Amino acid sequence: MLNIVMYHYVRDLPRTKYPQIKGMLLDDFREQVRDLSEQFEMPSVEACIRYLRGEYHPKRELCMLTFDDGLKEHYREVTPILQEQGVPGVFHIITACTNDKVVVPVHMNHFLMAALDFDTYRSELTNYIGTGPDVDIALARKTYPWDTAEVAAFKYFFNFVVSPEVRDSAVKALFEKYIGSEQEFAGELYLNWDEAREMQKAGMTLGGHTHMHR
């Protein structure tokens, strides 16, 4: 069997500017990689492809680690941890973030939720976009099982209900108001191509995660 474990934010949260971001702590990540390595074979992409083609028959179940969004921490903290333990990872880059120094709306939403009181942020965003149709709470909870019903409903509305054009315009305005320069923030949040090439040299695999994360 091939198991795939997917990560996003992996960071030393208490020492960052946004400790409320929902991610994995570095020490927990390091321990999890060690535990997974003891239970599974940690394959490269090539080994996974050979397994799926029936050309490779491992002695243990496989477990591949993937990382979405091409975040700076994937280069700075995650890759060294994987190197220490001899584990390959697959990292998916949003090309507009790396090429053009933009922050995609879903990440603007994450950091605004981490920076502001939830009721304040929800109220401000609603002032821009209106209330819109009711959200199916059961579906929202199923989509976002680690959030409260209130937050799950808001995130579902943001990501799946409101018009993307209206949403993107509103969240950009709030991001500029409360957090600052999008270009500067993108430079701090996302890895650059030189860093991506260093990751490849360290044995990591790079993949695409679309151009704008729509």
Side-chain angles (χ1 to χ4, degrees), residues 22-39:
K22 291 178 179 173
M24 175 166 273
L25 294 170
L26 289 176
D27 287 344
D28 291 342
F29 175 69
R30 183 179 285 104
E31 183 177 352
Q32 189 171 90
V33 173
R34 184 169 54 247
D35 290 346
L36 289 171
S37 297
E38 292 174 355
Q39 298 178 55

Side-chain angles (χ1 to χ4, degrees), residues 77-118:
E77 282 97 19
V78 171
T79 292
I81 291 173
L82 295 181
Q83 277 188 291
E84 288 169 9
Q85 303 197 34
V87 173
V90 185
F91 298 82
H92 298 109
I93 294 173
I94 308 168
T95 51
C97 302
T98 298
N99 282 340
D100 308 322
K101 296 293 184 291
V102 302
V103 180
V104 291
V106 67
H107 292 155
M108 289 185 175
N109 187 49
H110 291 168
F111 284 93
L112 282 165
M113 291 185 73
L116 300 175
D117 171 80
F118 174 67

